[in-house]
Amino acid sequence: MRRHFCKGVFGLIVACLSPVAVQAAPLVFSVPDQERVAQIESRIVALKGFSERVDAVSAQFLGTPYIANTLIGGPDTPEELVVRFDGVDCYTFVDLVRALTLSENQTGFIAALKKTRYHDGHVAYLERRHFLTDWAALTPQNARDITLTLSPQVQVTRKDLNRRADGGVYIKGLAAHPRDIAHLSPEFLTPEVAAKIRTGDVIGIYTKLDGLDVTHTGLAIWKNGVLYFRNASSLKANMKVVDTPLAAYLTGKPGFLVLRMVEAG
């Protein structure tokens, strides 16, 4: 089995919090990308349903190249708020989609992106939502974890997130913290379970690795009665945002979890 890791999970770069007065983080947002936001917003302005908006926004990313490590920050480099549409990883893809879905203009998009990507909207590396389940655990809440409602077969595993098997950490400066991770084995993705998943729900690919909740993430999209997994794929055969039938994608994977986005910024 080839294990598919979203490189964004491991490629996030450490930034230290400054002990001096807090200043607004620099914004990395090119003119072409600002124009792209305006184009996408104009295409969804008439759409009112949340799932419909997520579908329409995320479809604009189909074919977008997969690029890891697009966010800026490091031990000696302040965190910057990065907006890029020329390439995404699995995390920045869902970040951007949620922020665009919730906004109507550039100002609203930036505000929504801050709250989506960072705990309490504070742009700093240690405030990033490094783990997918941070979407449900940290404020403002991006989503609710609905995995436990899917099936009696859901399992719950207690993990010390950020703690490697060797005792080290994935994210320097971030304390390990215990969290119960609900997940369902792919064999239990029956038609009845699939029917409980909506277009726009966030799908996480569960991992058995110590210290991590998922190794990849994307969006659930229903098309013609088939449930697809829309994701920024780092597989060599793809290296772009693609749609793959969820059942096929989950073959050989240890499990999956489902988060339902909160329909407010």
Side-chain angles (χ1 to χ4, degrees), residues 3 55 57 63 143 206:
R3 186 176 285 115
D55 188 2
V57 169
Y206 176 74

Side-chain angles (χ1 to χ4, degrees), residues 19-151:
V20 299
V22 176
Q23 297 180 341
L27 175 63
V28 180
F29 194 10
S30 70
V31 171
D33 285 339
Q34 293 178 44
E35 294 173 347
R36 182 76 184 279
V37 168
Q39 291 170 357
I40 294 175
E41 297 286 12
S42 68
R43 290 169 183 167
I44 67 169
V45 65
L47 305 179
K48 303 303 181 184
F50 188 80
S51 291
E52 185 181 15
R53 287 173 66 87
V54 173
D55 188 2
V57 169
S58 59
Q60 300 298 312
F61 287 85
L62 288 170
T64 299
Y66 176 94
I67 301 179
N69 306 330
T70 59
L71 301 186
I72 296 174
D76 302 307
T77 305
E79 184 83 357
E80 299 185 20
L81 181 62
V82 176
V83 182
R84 285 183 60 175
F85 288 85
D86 61 321
V88 293
D89 65 25
C90 65
Y91 273 79
T92 56
F93 168 58
V94 295
D95 279 352
L96 291 170
V97 169
R98 183 171 190 273
L100 286 163
T101 298
L102 291 173
S103 59
E104 297 180 351
N105 51 50
Q106 182 174 305
T107 299
F109 165 70
I110 293 297
L113 182 61
K114 287 180 180 179
K115 292 179 180 179
T116 297
R117 186 175 292 168
Y118 298 96
H119 179 208
D120 287 334
H122 181 198
V123 182
Y125 178 78
L126 294 183
E127 299 295 339
R128 281 193 209 169
R129 300 179 196 261
H130 295 287
F131 303 94
L132 180 61
T133 50
D134 286 346
W135 272 44
L138 301 182
T139 55
Q141 193 178 47
N142 286 347
R144 296 179 294 106
D145 191 334
I146 66 166
T147 311
L148 284 171
T149 71
L150 298 178
S151 167

Side-chain angles (χ1 to χ4, degrees), residues 137-178:
L138 301 182
T139 55
Q141 193 178 47
N142 286 347
R144 296 179 294 106
D145 191 334
I146 66 166
T147 311
L148 284 171
T149 71
L150 298 178
S151 167
Q153 306 300 326
V154 170
Q155 301 178 44
V156 178
T157 301
R158 171 60 64 93
K159 292 204 171 193
D160 284 327
L161 292 186
N162 200 40
R163 179 70 65 194
R164 293 177 179 270
D166 62 5
V169 296
Y170 291 102
I171 309 299
K172 183 181 177 182
L174 185 67
H177 46 287

Side-chain angles (χ1 to χ4, degrees), residues 2 13 33 48 53 62 79 88 104 143 168 170 174 188 197 199 210 235-236 239 244 259 261:
R2 178 169 56 182
I13 312 168
D33 285 339
K48 303 303 181 184
R53 287 173 66 87
L62 288 170
E79 184 83 357
V88 293
E104 297 180 351
Y170 291 102
L174 185 67
F188 298 115
I197 301 173
T199 287
D210 290 342
L235 293 174
K236 289 184 178 180
M239 292 301 293
T244 303
L259 306 182
M261 289 195 211

